[in-house]
Amino acid sequence: MEVATATEASAPAASGSAARQNHSFPWLDAAISEPYYFLHLLAFFSYFAARSAAIAADDGGELYHRLLRREIQAVLVFLVLFVVKIVREETWETFIADSLLYAKGLLLAVTLVIDYWLALGYFLGFVVIYAVAQQPPYHGLGHSNHLTPLQLESLLTEEPTSRFWLVEFRTLFSATCIQASSVLPELSNIYSNKNISFGIIDLGHFPNAAAKFGISMWDHLPTYILFDKATEVARFPEVTSESKVFVPKVTKKLLCQHFDLDRRLIEYLST
């Protein structure tokens, strides 16, 4: 009963992910349907209208040449940063967030050539977008389930179907959680078996669960805890004085090593 309930809890997200994946152009669907991406597209495309108006109002033609040089410089810088990020970043969510940040900074630098007030207007526009829209998280679940704290407790204590549960505790108001939202589902596709299961708890919906599991809502999110039946055997980040100063970026490789997932998979396959 508990497993069925947990699966039902993840059904809406899974169906939404499937619908997005079945779309002929999923990136175009996201750009139009997600306010975060749509508002950024509007802001970037509005530059061309502002550019045309500024050049048309310039009688001497000097603005056109200065603006063209600055645009070429901005495009070259963006391409370099783009290539560096696409090589180094592990998740698309982090890559998109960083790319948009660079694009916004370079757009402000270009608009300064046209007019300081225009640059200020774009800056305020980006602040408004940040306030009213949020980058969407990864929509896939892989072989993980969205759980409530009560469901997790039942799965751990009442005849557990898996010995181990690796659970991610996150909130969708945290940019770090959004950028790491694809890590656990992708790990579950590789390591999920009868011995280890994967779950996700949104502390934004269940804030009281944070204190129960010893998690701070204001730092160290997302937190990953590995349970052996009802006993916590490991967590990331660990609650130490060092972890309060520096927390490494969440990656599949880091979590795999921290929770020794390869060894657990080999032990399962050898039984």
Side-chain angles (χ1 to χ4, degrees), residues 3-172:
V3 175
T5 306
T7 305
E8 291 168 4
S10 64
S15 61
S17 174
R20 191 178 300 277
Q21 291 174 352
N22 291 332
H23 197 279
S24 301
F25 301 98
W27 57 269
L28 181 60
D29 178 50
I32 297 175
S33 62
E34 296 288 354
Y36 179 81
Y37 298 131
F38 182 69
L39 291 175
H40 276 95
L41 281 178
L42 286 180
F44 290 130
F45 278 109
S46 70
Y47 167 75
F48 296 102
R51 181 187 192 275
S52 299
I55 292 176
D58 181 47
D59 296 329
E62 180 183 352
L63 175 63
Y64 172 78
H65 297 289
R66 288 193 296 116
L67 190 56
L68 183 60
R69 286 196 299 270
R70 183 61 62 87
E71 288 171 341
I72 293 174
Q73 293 170 353
V75 169
L76 291 176
V77 170
F78 180 77
L79 288 177
V80 171
L81 294 173
F82 182 89
V83 172
V84 170
K85 280 296 178 181
I86 203 169
V87 170
R88 295 184 59 183
E89 293 297 345
E90 188 176 70
T91 69
W92 277 107
E93 287 71 29
T94 303
F95 170 73
I96 292 173
D98 290 344
S99 297
L100 284 176
L101 178 63
Y102 299 147
K104 288 184 283 190
L106 293 170
L107 179 62
L108 293 177
V110 171
T111 53
L112 281 172
V113 176
I114 300 176
D115 184 75
Y116 290 105
W117 289 106
L118 178 62
L120 178 61
Y122 272 105
F123 175 78
L124 294 177
F126 290 137
V127 170
V128 171
I129 292 175
Y130 177 81
V132 303
Q134 186 180 48
Q135 182 181 5
Y138 178 73
H139 291 283
L141 283 175
H143 289 93
S144 63
N145 290 312
H146 281 302
L147 302 173
T148 68
L150 182 59
Q151 287 170 341
L152 176 61
E153 184 178 353
S154 299
L155 290 168
L156 294 176
T157 58
E158 299 176 7
E159 297 183 2
T161 55
S162 297
R163 175 182 173 183
F164 297 101
W165 273 88
L166 180 56
V167 182
E168 175 187 13
F169 296 84
R170 68 187 188 190
T171 61
L172 294 185

Side-chain angles (χ1 to χ4, degrees), residues 88-268:
R88 295 184 59 183
E89 293 297 345
E90 188 176 70
T91 69
W92 277 107
E93 287 71 29
T94 303
F95 170 73
I96 292 173
D98 290 344
S99 297
L100 284 176
L101 178 63
Y102 299 147
K104 288 184 283 190
L106 293 170
L107 179 62
L108 293 177
V110 171
T111 53
L112 281 172
V113 176
I114 300 176
D115 184 75
Y116 290 105
W117 289 106
L118 178 62
L120 178 61
Y122 272 105
F123 175 78
L124 294 177
F126 290 137
V127 170
V128 171
I129 292 175
Y130 177 81
V132 303
Q134 186 180 48
Q135 182 181 5
Y138 178 73
H139 291 283
L141 283 175
H143 289 93
S144 63
N145 290 312
H146 281 302
L147 302 173
T148 68
L150 182 59
Q151 287 170 341
L152 176 61
E153 184 178 353
S154 299
L155 290 168
L156 294 176
T157 58
E158 299 176 7
E159 297 183 2
T161 55
S162 297
R163 175 182 173 183
F164 297 101
W165 273 88
L166 180 56
V167 182
E168 175 187 13
F169 296 84
R170 68 187 188 190
T171 61
L172 294 185
F173 61 74
S174 166
T176 305
C177 291
I178 291 174
Q179 293 172 18
S181 57
S182 66
V183 173
L184 189 82
E186 291 178 0
L187 281 177
S188 72
N189 287 330
I190 302 172
Y191 295 101
S192 180
N193 54 63
K194 292 182 179 180
N195 197 42
I196 182 169
S197 297
F198 296 78
I200 299 170
I201 292 182
D202 188 345
L203 294 179
H205 296 153
F206 309 100
N208 292 335
K212 179 179 180 180
F213 292 100
I215 300 170
S216 171
M217 290 285 287
W218 305 111
D219 55 8
H220 293 179
L221 287 178
T223 290
Y224 301 84
I225 300 180
L226 180 66
F227 295 95
D228 182 349
K229 297 182 180 178
T231 304
E232 176 184 332
V233 294
R235 76 163 57 199
F236 177 85
E238 298 176 339
V239 183
T240 62
S241 58
E242 290 81 4
S243 67
K244 294 180 180 179
V245 178
F246 173 74
V247 178
K249 181 178 292 186
V250 176
T251 64
K252 294 192 290 290
K253 180 179 180 181
L254 184 148
L255 293 184
C256 181
Q257 293 176 345
H258 187 82
F259 295 109
D260 209 1
L261 295 180
D262 286 325
R263 179 181 62 80
R264 299 183 196 281
L265 179 61
I266 292 173
E267 287 178 353
Y268 169 73

